[in-house]
Amino acid sequence: MVQKYQSPVRIHKYPFEMVMAAYERRFPTCPLIPVFLGSVIVSEVASEDGARRIVQRRCQLHVEAPRILKKMAGVEHVYFVQTNTYNWKDRTLLIEAHNETFESRVTVTETCCYSVHPENEDWTCFEQSASLDIKSFFGFESTVEKIALKQYTANIKRGKEVIEHYLKELIAEGICEIPRWVPPETGAQTEYSTLLCAPSLRPSPDAGPDLPPPSDCSPVEGAAADADKLDADYIERYLGNLTLMQESHLIQLRQWLQETHKGKIPKDEHILRFLRARDFNLDKARDMLCQSLSWRKQHQIDYILEAWATPACLEEYYAGGWHFHDSSGRPLYVLRLGQMDTKGLVKALGEEALLRHVLSINEEGQKRCEENTKIFGRPITCWTCVLDLEGLSTRHLWRPGVKALLRTIEVVEANYPETLGRLLIVRAPRVFPVLWTLISPFINENTRQKFLVYSGNSYHGEGGLEDHIGKDIIPDFLGGDCLCSVPEGGPVPKSLYQTQEELQNSGPISLLAETIYQSANIFQGEPHEFFIEIPESSSVITWDFDVLKGDVSFNIFRSKWLPRAADKSMSASAPSVRRVQLTDKSGVLGVEYSMVEPPLMCREGESIQGSHITRWPGRYILQWKAASPISGSTLLTVDDVLATLQGSSNKCKIMYYTEVLPSCDFRGSMTSLESCQSGFSQLSAATTSSGQSQLSAATTSSGQSQLSAATTSSGQSQLSAATTSSGQSQTGSLISR
């Protein structure tokens, strides 16, 4: 398995030239990094004007490994080849390294880059990425991987400290400024790099240990520039102290979302919750987060606080509310479940209204966490709940009420992981174990570990509520001095009950019945097609869809005629799905219909947005087709064969929304597919908010770092390729990837 590491951007608040002088002092040996035994220069090439210099070194490292492993491997030290490409004109240093020892068994690559801060030319940015691929190692692959990761993370921690140490050493020697590179005068030859390599700027230790002859290696030029970066200071300030691998997984998941979910990147703390919920397993966290993002988009959860008006019945009889904060600064929610008439609330409002209310509480909790993070000056990502069970009895075990509770727990667990910091259950009666037996299987193990249960009056004194909540905040009904405004609950009047027919008409929990998204199952050999009638040229067909299951191919066609079963009353403002397949079966490509955009392959978990500017009026078809299981020499699996034979087996599933806009209302990006009638105009605003927008908040007048050039405040994707002056469709308009 390939292990990858991606660092956040680390900032040195010194000019690039000073940092380079400090960096040069790490060679040929560096006592501050004990595993680095020494290095020799293999080759050195400089341009005539001195603007570019390439230095290749062979480095010797000591690896702390079990003696038996070293004996089996037959080596005491490990050798790496490092290529440094200095560009004094652009003020960058690209460092590329790979292992020479065991290169046929283990592949280690590392890329680092020093560059000028995009908003402060007197500061220097540093970032690095690495990968480890152990193909075989005498049966000790797992052990070698652990040793490599341990030593690598230990060295990364020292990297910034080493540079800072040598910077202070330079300043102590009176070197506070190094001139920048300037083009040489005509006919003159200068080597700017010699300034940084002069004896006055470098230490004079021994040349280091003798190294074996180097293997053939040529420098590699260029490095991929990443446009989406997180700053290390920002992570520490707003997200907390993370290990190096946790930082790496956060950045990797965020970059993956940036590539596949253009325009809908959640905040960084939101991404981090899903990583924590899956113990920072990147694949599991990605799957969980993608499902949650699709759920949020389908049901427009981003707007629930604005759209959801709490019914009067809930305001009076729902015994729960926010109450200051706990001793750690976390928002505090108090719920008097024992005083609530759960049966009455379900009969009066139905399951959906109760679920909406619980979701609005969770959304409000996240909002309060962000506010408390700013107030207390430290990351606060979860809240505390006090659950008062006084009054809990067998009436709370009413079957429909328990069913609604289990459904609520299921939805919250899937979409709000790691938002509960502590659950303090007080005055638990004898019936509580029965209720706990019913609900505990639906609660994640990590969440269950946050529960503290107090029976009777055991919540007073040491080890009780005061360990988690200040004395001045404990509610009065729990023996404290603080007046709590949480409703007392009580029986819901039967006059407020809905009839059985009214409750049935509310249907299953759909959260927001007015969702603009539709779902479709796609079977092998049976594509899903969406027909649209375009009355005039230069209209814009827009789409937004998520691939929930399987891989699909997305195409757009223009048809000269409609299948007979299609309704002739189609309108561009409200297109509808037709269950008739035109392509392949009802017509001939190039005769009855033509392809207007190249097919686009979409992978499971991806979110695709795009647009097509129509050149002619007519009938257009959006088609989603299950990707063929045959790829090159890949053989069909048993599951593929069974899925093909069984027509009822779902091959793929998508969730989509499409809309036609006049060209005058189209502005060329996902967040500006706007008109006064456009559903996108409300959809895009909240779904594009990125945690990177907080990066600027981390940059105060005291000089904390920002990277606004690399991290946009919204993570919005631009689709300007879709809007050309001629109105012709562009291939790039299909997606923002």
Side-chain angles (χ1 to χ4, degrees):
M1 180 178 178
V2 179
Q3 290 281 357
K4 294 184 178 181
Y5 171 78
Q6 176 64 56
S7 77
V9 178
R10 306 186 189 278
I11 309 298
H12 299 287
K13 298 179 182 178
Y14 295 90
F16 175 78
E17 290 72 21
M18 284 287 291
V19 174
M20 290 300 96
Y23 174 76
E24 286 286 341
R25 294 199 171 204
R26 295 179 53 173
F27 303 102
T29 60
C30 183
L32 298 177
I33 307 179
V35 298
F36 185 72
L37 300 180
S39 63
V40 294
I41 295 179
V42 177
S43 66
E44 184 171 2
V45 180
S47 62
E48 291 186 2
D49 60 359
R52 187 177 177 86
R53 174 174 166 242
I54 300 176
V55 179
Q56 191 174 86
R57 292 184 176 91
R58 191 161 183 263
C59 306
Q60 184 183 47
L61 304 180
H62 170 72
V63 178
E64 296 180 1
R67 184 66 187 172
I68 185 174
L69 188 60
K70 289 186 176 181
K71 191 172 183 180
M72 291 183 63
V75 299
E76 282 291 331
H77 304 114
V78 177
Y79 296 92
F80 274 75
V81 175
Q82 182 193 81
T83 303
N84 292 351
T85 303
Y86 300 84
N87 189 323
W88 303 113
K89 180 180 179 181
D90 295 337
R91 302 177 76 196
T92 62
L93 168 61
L94 174 64
I95 307 169
E96 296 173 302
H98 68 273
N99 64 305
E100 183 181 85
T101 308
F102 302 121
E103 58 184 348
S104 62
R105 295 178 177 273
V106 180
T107 302
V108 180
T109 61
E110 181 184 49
T111 301
C112 306
C113 182
Y114 286 92
S115 60
V116 179
H117 193 288
E119 293 191 359
N120 189 332
E121 62 179 14
D122 290 329
W123 288 0
T124 305
C125 300
F126 173 76
E127 53 190 313
Q128 67 189 122
S129 60
S131 66
L132 169 67
D133 183 12
I134 302 177
K135 303 180 179 91
S136 64
F137 206 87
F138 315 107
F140 289 89
E141 290 80 11
S142 178
T143 302
V144 171
E145 181 178 301
K146 291 179 181 178
I147 292 173
L149 289 176
K150 180 180 178 181
Q151 294 218 341
Y152 187 71
T153 53
N155 292 336
I156 290 175
K157 286 183 178 180
R158 298 300 307 278
K160 185 175 181 179
E161 297 175 7
V162 170
I163 295 295
E164 297 287 338
H165 169 81
Y166 286 126
L167 283 166
K168 292 178 181 178
E169 193 175 271
L170 285 168
I171 294 172
E173 296 173 3
I175 303 172
C176 299
E177 183 179 357
I178 296 176
R180 298 181 186 179
W181 177 88
V182 292
E185 296 179 1
T186 305
Q189 291 188 357
T190 62
E191 291 191 8
Y192 173 78
S193 59
T194 58
L195 287 172
L196 298 176
C197 303
S200 62
L201 299 183
R202 299 185 60 184
S204 56
D206 296 335
D210 294 334
L211 301 181
S215 61
D216 293 336
C217 179
S218 58
V220 181
E221 296 188 9
D226 196 330
D228 182 51
K229 306 168 185 176
L230 289 178
D231 180 80
D233 294 337
Y234 158 78
I235 291 178
E236 184 176 355
R237 170 65 178 83
Y238 288 96
L239 304 178
N241 294 319
L242 304 177
T243 67
L244 294 172
M245 294 310 294
Q246 288 173 347
E247 287 180 348
S248 174
H249 289 164
L250 170 62
I251 294 169
Q252 289 180 57
L253 181 52
R254 194 177 192 282
Q255 289 177 345
W256 182 85
L257 288 170
Q258 188 76 18
E259 295 170 359
T260 60
H261 288 62
K262 290 287 186 180
K264 292 185 286 297
I265 302 301
K267 295 180 179 179
D268 298 318
E269 54 264 40
H270 190 85
I271 300 174
L272 189 57
R273 289 189 181 107
F274 285 84
L275 282 167
R276 284 175 171 149
R278 292 296 178 261
D279 297 322
F280 284 87
N281 183 302
L282 197 58
D283 293 334
K284 292 181 179 179
R286 180 172 56 216
D287 292 343
M288 184 183 184
L289 179 56
C290 286
Q291 293 178 16
S292 179
L293 291 177
S294 297
W295 172 83
R296 292 183 67 88
K297 182 166 67 172
Q298 181 176 13
H299 302 298
Q300 303 178 55
I301 301 301
D302 290 326
Y303 306 99
I304 196 169
L305 291 179
E306 294 82 8
W308 170 244
T310 306
C313 181
L314 277 176
E315 289 190 353
E316 184 172 355
Y317 297 103
Y318 189 88
W322 294 101
H323 179 72
F324 299 103
H325 56 79
D326 68 4
S327 55
S328 299
R330 297 168 175 167
L332 180 63
Y333 191 83
V334 177
L335 180 62
R336 306 182 68 180
L337 183 60
Q339 303 299 315
M340 280 202 305
D341 180 8
T342 53
K343 180 178 181 179
L345 289 173
V346 172
K347 283 185 169 291
L349 299 167
E351 292 183 32
E352 181 176 349
L354 288 175
L355 178 56
R356 288 192 190 187
H357 187 61
V358 172
L359 295 181
S360 69
I361 292 171
N362 279 271
E363 291 293 314
E364 176 68 22
Q366 293 188 15
K367 185 177 178 181
R368 287 174 177 262
C369 284
E370 294 175 10
E371 294 172 352
N372 284 15
T373 295
K374 298 176 183 178
I375 293 173
F376 291 96
R378 61 178 181 273
I380 296 175
T381 60
C382 53
W383 55 86
T384 297
C385 178
V386 174
L387 182 60
D388 181 16
L389 296 183
E390 185 183 45
L392 189 75
S393 64
T394 53
R395 65 187 173 88
H396 290 89
L397 302 180
W398 179 58
R399 187 178 181 86
V402 173
K403 176 175 171 288
L405 176 61
L406 295 180
R407 172 59 175 158
T408 300
I409 291 174
E410 182 182 23
V411 173
V412 171
E413 280 285 300
N415 299 286
Y416 298 93
E418 296 299 315
T419 53
L420 180 66
R422 180 69 69 186
L423 179 64
L424 306 172
I425 304 174
V426 299
R427 300 198 282 196
R430 292 182 178 180
V431 74
F432 172 69
V434 180
L435 180 62
W436 176 249
T437 301
L438 293 173
I439 67 173
S440 59
F442 293 84
I443 301 176
N444 182 274
E445 177 61 29
N446 291 340
T447 305
R448 289 202 296 266
Q449 293 177 358
K450 300 173 183 178
F451 290 17
L452 289 178
V453 182
Y454 303 95
S455 59
N457 293 321
S458 62
Y459 62 90
H460 291 295
E462 186 177 355
L465 290 181
E466 292 182 8
D467 287 1
H468 306 279
I469 306 173
K471 290 183 180 180
D472 56 337
I473 292 180
I474 296 178
D476 52 346
F477 58 83
L478 293 178
D481 299 327
C482 186
L483 182 63
C484 184
S485 59
V486 173
E488 296 183 1
V492 177
K494 293 185 178 180
S495 60
L496 299 178
Y497 286 10
Q498 295 186 53
T499 64
Q500 190 65 26
E501 182 179 357
E502 290 173 330
L503 291 174
Q504 289 178 352
N505 290 338
S506 64
I509 300 177
S510 58
L511 299 181
L512 295 178
E514 64 274 13
T515 177
I516 62 177
Y517 287 89
Q518 301 183 53
S519 297
N521 295 318
I522 305 170
F523 308 101
Q524 190 68 40
E526 297 183 11
H528 180 80
E529 296 185 345
F530 194 98
F531 290 75
I532 302 175
E533 181 79 18
I534 300 297
E536 59 182 19
S537 61
S538 297
S539 295
V540 183
I541 302 174
T542 61
W543 57 82
D544 180 9
F545 66 90
D546 287 8
V547 184
L548 305 180
K549 180 181 178 183
D551 299 339
V552 301
S553 175
F554 177 62
N555 288 64
I556 305 177
F557 301 96
R558 178 176 177 270
S559 172
K560 297 180 180 179
W561 55 279
L562 284 176
R564 294 178 182 177
D567 188 353
K568 296 182 180 180
S569 62
M570 292 188 300
S571 77
S573 60
S576 57
V577 180
R578 304 299 171 204
R579 297 298 181 186
V580 178
Q581 181 182 343
L582 171 64
T583 60
D584 298 333
K585 291 186 177 181
S586 300
V588 179
L589 181 62
V591 180
E592 283 84 7
Y593 66 97
S594 58
M595 186 183 299
V596 297
E597 291 277 8
L600 171 68
M601 179 59 66
C602 310
R603 303 298 180 185
E604 181 175 330
E606 289 189 341
S607 179
I608 310 296
Q609 307 85 41
S611 58
H612 173 81
I613 301 177
T614 61
R615 297 182 63 184
W616 306 279
R619 304 171 182 94
Y620 287 79
I621 308 162
L622 305 187
Q623 182 198 74
W624 291 268
K625 192 175 184 179
S628 173
I630 301 178
S631 177
S633 59
T634 304
L635 298 177
L636 285 172
T637 64
V638 174
D639 292 338
D640 292 328
V641 175
L642 292 177
T644 303
L645 295 176
Q646 299 173 2
S648 59
S649 299
N650 293 347
K651 183 64 178 177
C652 304
K653 185 175 182 180
I654 60 170
M655 178 185 76
Y656 68 94
Y657 172 72
T658 184
E659 182 177 6
V660 177
L661 302 175
S663 59
C664 59
D665 292 332
F666 180 74
R667 302 183 189 174
S669 72
M670 185 59 200
T671 55
S672 61
L673 296 180
E674 297 174 352
S675 70
C676 57
Q677 295 85 20
S678 174
F680 276 117
S681 60
Q682 293 184 355
L683 175 69
S684 60
T687 56
T688 56
S689 61
S690 164
Q692 262 325 94
S693 62
Q694 297 189 28
L695 186 54
S696 60
T699 309
T700 62
S701 57
S702 62
Q704 292 185 356
S705 60
Q706 357 178 354
L707 292 176
S708 63
T711 53
T712 59
S713 62
S714 64
Q716 297 173 356
S717 64
Q718 297 297 319
L719 296 175
S720 57
T723 52
T724 62
S725 58
S726 62
Q728 296 181 355
S729 63
Q730 300 293 315
T731 302
S733 69
L734 274 172
I735 52 170
S736 316
R737 299 181 68 178

